[in-house]
Amino acid sequence: MRPVGCAAGSVGVGSLCVLVASVLWGTTGTAATFAPGVGPLAIGAVAMGLGGLLQALIAAPRIVREASGLRAQRGVVLLGAVAVGIYPLVFYTSMHLAGVAAGTVVSIGSAPLASALIERVVDGRRLTRRWMLGAALGLSGTVLLCVAEAANAHSGPGAQSVGTIVLGVGLGLVAGLTYALYSWAAHRLISRGVTSGAAMGTVFGLGGLLLVPVLLATGAPLVSSWPNAAVGIYMALVPMFIGYVLFGWGLAHVPASTATTLSLLEPAVAAVLAVLVVGERLPVLGWVGIALVVGCLAVLTAPTQTAVRPQAITTRHRDGTEGHDAPRDRRTPPGEAAPSAPDAPGAAFRR
């Protein structure tokens, strides 16, 4: 599905914005390892809480100008805000329990399916063969990454128990659902005339307010040392503020299901950084998973060609009746056989 009024070029720019945001988000797990004394709830609250409030502050003039449009969609706004408030708490707890890469893989890998289901049920949007191919590649890659990380965790020192990993995976699924919900809510607001700045600022600002009590209750370690404070500031400003500003721009040009599928780049980035920076070891199966995720991104972001629709020719016969000749490509000169159209899959961004 291509959002109304968006040209192919704007779809490409929107996809690029989502991909850059995904790279920034992929750094969060590695950044959190530099503040081991800070719990996952505090990390999530400072990242999305302060980041969301900063988005609202920057977008305040637009929010005021578009207040009537936002009030008309108050249900969508509140749904998105609640999802924003829940997501970071379950996401960072999932990484804490199941491991950085596995928690990220489950959380982000399940989001495209949840997003597609929401769009199918609420919006009646059909899924194209191209999207399904890309999602299959991406989800296969995330599953391989998850399996590789789980095997690696069991073989290393301090391996987590099965129950802990299962709980982490369950919270990751909740994170994927809430990620899909606030992505859908923001896209719905934007598609109904609210600017991306006002939509993201309102949804994330209200979500940030919901996270303030959690930050006050758990955030003491963040101010206990400069390294912990630096991690908190980085998480709030770079991945969450800048990342979600880019994500909002992307949602203005691509549907939520496509955006969440493109964000499958995040677990791949997280896994690579865990190897290069943290010193974790990634088995061969994990690298195969990363390759499949890259293949998913290639399928979804490759430019599409719009086929020329054949046009039936109306012919008046000698007896005065009219009939329709076989459809012929407009570009085909009379008397020549029309070339057969390739059996191309549906465009990824068209309904």
Side-chain angles (χ1 to χ4, degrees), residues 52-330:
L53 292 175
L54 184 57
Q55 283 198 59
L57 179 63
I58 297 299
R62 293 185 180 182
I63 294 173
V64 172
R65 286 198 301 267
E66 302 178 41
S68 59
L70 291 166
R71 282 195 298 268
Q73 302 292 323
R74 64 175 65 89
V76 177
V77 170
L78 290 177
L79 175 63
V82 171
V84 167
I86 296 173
Y87 169 76
L89 305 181
V90 291
F91 175 57
Y92 287 98
T93 304
S94 173
M95 288 196 296
H96 178 72
L97 296 177
V100 171
T104 306
V105 163
V106 173
S107 301
I108 307 305
S110 62
L113 294 181
S115 184
L117 181 61
I118 293 169
E119 289 185 352
R120 178 64 177 168
V121 173
V122 180
D123 301 331
R125 179 176 179 266
R126 291 189 300 108
L127 302 179
T128 65
R129 286 178 289 175
R130 179 172 177 173
W131 182 89
M132 288 188 286
L133 173 61
L137 288 173
L139 291 175
S140 298
T142 55
V143 167
L144 290 181
L145 263 173
C146 189
V147 170
E149 285 295 322
N152 206 32
H154 280 301
S155 62
Q160 301 281 14
S161 67
V162 174
T164 300
I165 292 178
V166 169
L167 178 58
V169 169
L171 291 175
L173 294 175
V174 177
L177 175 61
T178 52
Y179 174 33
L181 280 173
Y182 70 68
S183 299
W184 174 84
H187 179 73
R188 169 61 69 93
L189 293 173
I190 294 170
S191 65
R192 293 190 172 183
V194 180
T195 63
S196 64
M200 298 294 286
T202 302
V203 169
F204 279 78
L206 291 175
L209 286 176
L210 296 177
L211 289 168
V212 168
V214 180
L215 180 59
L216 293 177
T218 63
L222 285 166
V223 295
S224 63
S225 68
W226 282 111
N228 289 354
V231 169
I233 293 171
Y234 170 81
M235 299 279 273
L237 290 182
V238 180
M240 297 306 155
F241 174 64
I242 297 176
Y244 277 103
V245 167
L246 291 170
F247 189 66
W249 291 346
L251 284 174
H253 302 295
V254 298
S257 58
T258 300
T260 52
T261 305
L262 290 172
S263 65
L264 288 173
L265 180 62
E266 177 183 348
V269 172
V272 171
L273 288 178
V275 172
L276 298 179
V277 179
V278 182
E280 294 183 2
R281 296 182 60 187
L282 188 64
V284 175
L285 199 62
W287 292 110
V288 174
I290 291 177
L292 289 177
V293 170
V294 173
C296 153
L297 304 178
V299 168
L300 289 179
T301 58
T304 59
Q305 293 182 350
T306 304
V308 177
R309 180 174 297 177
Q311 185 178 33
I313 306 300
T314 302
T315 304
R316 182 175 297 277
H317 301 294
R318 293 182 179 179
D319 59 2
T321 61
E322 292 185 352
H324 294 288
D325 294 340
R328 187 173 67 224
D329 192 309
R330 293 180 182 178

